Amino acid sequence: MSDQSTTPTPSPAPPVPSGPPPKVTNRGRTAVPIASANADTTEVPEFEPFGAPGPRGFPPLTEYLDILGVDMMRSPDEINKTQHHTKFYNSDSLIVRRGQEFQVKITFNRPYKPASDKFAVEFVIGASPQYSKGTYIPVFPSQERQSSWAGRITNNTENTVTMGITPTPDCIVGKYHMYVAVVTPFGIRRTRKDDSRNLYILFNPWASADAVFLDDETERQECVINEMGIIYHGAYDDIAERDWNYGQFNYGVLDACLYIMDKAAMPITNRGDPIKVTRKASAMLNSRDDEGVLVGNWTGDYTYGVAPTSWTGSTEILLSYASSKMPVCYAQCWVYAAVFNTFLRCLGIPSRVVTNYYSAHDNDGNLKTDIILHDNGRIDRSRTKDSVWNYHCWNECYMSRPDLPAGFGGWQVVDATPQETSDGMYRCGPASVQAIKHGQMCYPFDAAFVFAEVNSDVVFYSRSKEGTMEPVKVNQTHIGRMVLTKAPGDVTRRDITDQYKFPEGSKEERTVLEKAEEFGCQREKSSPPDADVDLVLPTLEVTVGNDFELSLEFINRSDQRRVVDIYVSGSVVYYTGVTSTEFLFQDPTVTIGPNKSVKEVVLVESKNYMKHLVEQANLNFIATGKVKETGQIVTAMKVVTLHNPKLSVELSGGARVSEEMIATVEFTNPFTFGLEGVYVRMEGPGLMMPKTKYYSLIPAGATLTWAEYFSPLRAGSTRVMVTLDCPALRQVRGQASVTIQP
């Protein structure tokens, strides 16, 4: 018997267990785990008895209908893949699109008798499939008994039945397992699980009831079927092109795209909704908070991975991620957009990569990009925090938006480049392009952020010695200068700026900006008077390594003489607008007669900028100054993109399917110094998978030659794309087009 008078005394609490905490399970919260992996499967029994067997077990079931074989009709030239526009997928499995009938042939041990025989075709996806969740779907041949997916017998000859099956236009997208089940008096007998009866169901832009329906065949061919992309970069007055192999039909890419959703633990039941799929993928394409596909790197040091400028296509990135289960190094905005485009097109969501020239990324969420000047007119770099990206790439995908009012479906912006968090994660979109154009920034998701990227004003502030700031110039046309995408069915570009904004200065544009202010966006209200001296910087095309002259033209629109103290700053900048090094600074004083113009020439020498160059070789010139007589500020900005030497790519051979061809790459080092650590990459849609060669040194003036043998896999127009990349020289590209005969 215990001593009743003993009083408990407190003691130190036990230490917290060391090591990582155990993974929290669903125990006590849900009866079964939420199915969130397409790769998980459930064992479906081959025989499911209706009751307990007798003393001698079940009698032999030989007299009842039995399944001898199932033909999924899955080869590329058979009816299913042809009608469903999936014949290009390099996969042995059947791939179809939802909302459209496909056919399977079932061979029984005797002729099928509709009056007495009962069978069903069953589809399951994920773990713990349930009919109510849409993860277990039985399809019946009789019209009297139908499930959510329609079934009908299209042909019944001898022992073979051909069955037409139509998945609902909003069913789950992913990889299903198919079984054929026959009812006997004693239970249900099924085919055993077999990978040859796997079935992939994709979104269907050809089906009018699907949320991604796009009623334009030319656009569908471009935004779903086309593998060869052109991504625009450079500067808005010096546009450059980058070829990209999206490779959405390559072997393993579809499985990699499904793995991305598995890695995100996205519930299977959400995978039929393109809004949820694109939003989840926008977060998963970057690795910032969820171990996603790509690691962003803008530093210029790519020792532990592949330089973003070196990639030629998405295949290598997606297959590497799916096999290693680790984020792939490295990416910048166009790599995120290109791989995201592959993901979307592979799953059947119409998509395209767009480029916005002079894209604002301001740090305090208003509609102003602030540039701070000293009171003498010189730029104050330490206080200027906002940056203007020379260009920024994102994606548009096409879908209806039942969650928004009518009229806001169609093209939606999604962006996987990690810039700002949205609902706690680095992602952006889908944001309706129509909502952005009309200033409806309250609509989900992230319309306000994209609106600022294309609509900010550049505001120059003069900062006095006491620290007060006064706006001295507002440039309302610099940001969102042009939005480009590839033209459908062509290799030209298409200007889609008018889909994002009304013409600058129009009545509609003013209305939209007023509406944006109602939703809390701050704009610069003051409009300082324009100076009566204009400053114009020329458009230049300069090859890397060359000296050149920068000509500043001053135009005096007044009737009096004007004297301008001007500050000319030349900086090497990243394409994000962030300054790396200032390599030039001059402060001439210019005198301009009344109603006259004067040119001031600044010599830019390569020896000053070459040693500071970062990738994409952008030089940013900002001229700011003060008119002595009036105190007015004059400013001008110009980005000069230096042009790199080119690679030559030549193709020789029969240009027929399965006939050997040769791709020959040549590059001559034009510099007076050797190029070290050079990677050359080559690939081509329908021609070859990505190939890589490494050269430790290409001496000055030396020529590199690489001949690669390959055999085309399919007919049609295509091209071989090649990049050369090393720390001293980024973004050297070449390509050769070819039409392969059958």
Side-chain angles (χ1 to χ4, degrees), residues 582-647:
E582 186 176 64
F583 68 88
L584 176 143
F585 179 75
Q586 293 188 13
D587 53 352
T589 300
V590 180
T591 304
I592 318 136
N595 296 306
K596 290 276 195 312
S597 68
V598 169
K599 285 193 176 174
E600 178 74 23
V601 175
V602 175
L603 177 64
V604 182
E605 294 182 281
S606 62
K607 66 182 183 190
N608 294 333
Y609 69 73
M610 276 300 285
K611 58 179 174 289
H612 301 298
L613 275 189
V614 294
E615 65 207 82
Q616 304 194 42
N618 291 312
L619 307 180
N620 189 21
F621 294 96
I622 299 183
T624 58
K626 204 170 194 178
V627 181
K628 275 190 177 171
E629 290 79 3
T630 63
Q632 293 170 326
I633 296 288
V634 294
T635 66
M637 297 185 287
K638 176 65 67 177
V639 173
V640 176
T641 302
L642 301 177
H643 292 228
N644 279 333
K646 290 276 188 286
L647 277 171

Side-chain angles (χ1 to χ4, degrees), residues 217-231:
E217 182 58 24
T218 312
E219 288 278 14
R220 283 193 297 242
Q221 288 297 322
E222 175 66 41
C223 297
V224 182
I225 302 298
N226 182 33
E227 288 183 277
M228 291 183 296
I230 297 175
I231 301 171

Side-chain angles (χ1 to χ4, degrees), residues 281-353:
S282 162
M284 276 305 295
L285 262 292
N286 68 70
S287 65
R288 279 296 287 266
D289 33 31
D290 44 21
E291 291 291 292
V293 180
L294 283 158
V295 180
N297 185 347
W298 281 263
T299 64
D301 179 5
Y302 309 117
T303 312
Y304 295 96
V306 176
T309 45
S310 187
W311 298 112
T312 49
S314 307
T315 307
E316 194 179 345
I317 293 168
L318 288 167
L319 296 187
S320 171
Y321 182 68
S323 61
S324 71
K325 316 258 187 290
M326 294 286 290
V328 178
C329 303
Y330 291 105
Q332 290 173 9
C333 71
W334 72 91
V335 184
Y336 284 116
V339 177
F340 200 174
N341 215 50
T342 301
F343 174 91
L344 295 166
R345 288 187 185 182
C346 185
L347 294 182
I349 301 172
S351 62
R352 59 194 186 190
V353 175

Side-chain angles (χ1 to χ4, degrees), residues 503-567:
E504 297 285 357
S506 64
K507 181 161 67 58
E508 294 93 340
E509 190 212 21
R510 279 198 301 278
T511 308
V512 165
L513 291 170
E514 284 164 11
K515 187 179 262 57
E517 289 182 75
E518 290 173 17
F519 290 118
C521 276
Q522 300 168 354
R523 293 184 64 228
E524 184 53 55
K525 290 290 201 312
S526 62
S527 51
D530 287 339
D532 51 20
V533 176
D534 289 337
L535 172 54
V536 179
L537 295 181
T539 297
L540 297 170
E541 287 202 10
V542 183
T543 301
V544 68
N546 287 1
D547 298 348
F548 62 95
E549 289 182 344
L550 183 72
S551 171
L552 290 75
E553 185 177 12
F554 295 84
I555 303 162
N556 182 0
R557 290 184 283 104
S558 74
D559 297 327
Q560 280 100 33
R561 188 182 78 129
R562 292 286 184 252
V563 177
V564 182
D565 288 330
I566 199 81
Y567 297 90

Side-chain angles (χ1 to χ4, degrees), residues 163-176:
M163 189 162 168
I165 299 162
T166 309
T168 54
D170 59 354
C171 75
I172 294 164
V173 166
K175 181 180 181 180
Y176 291 77

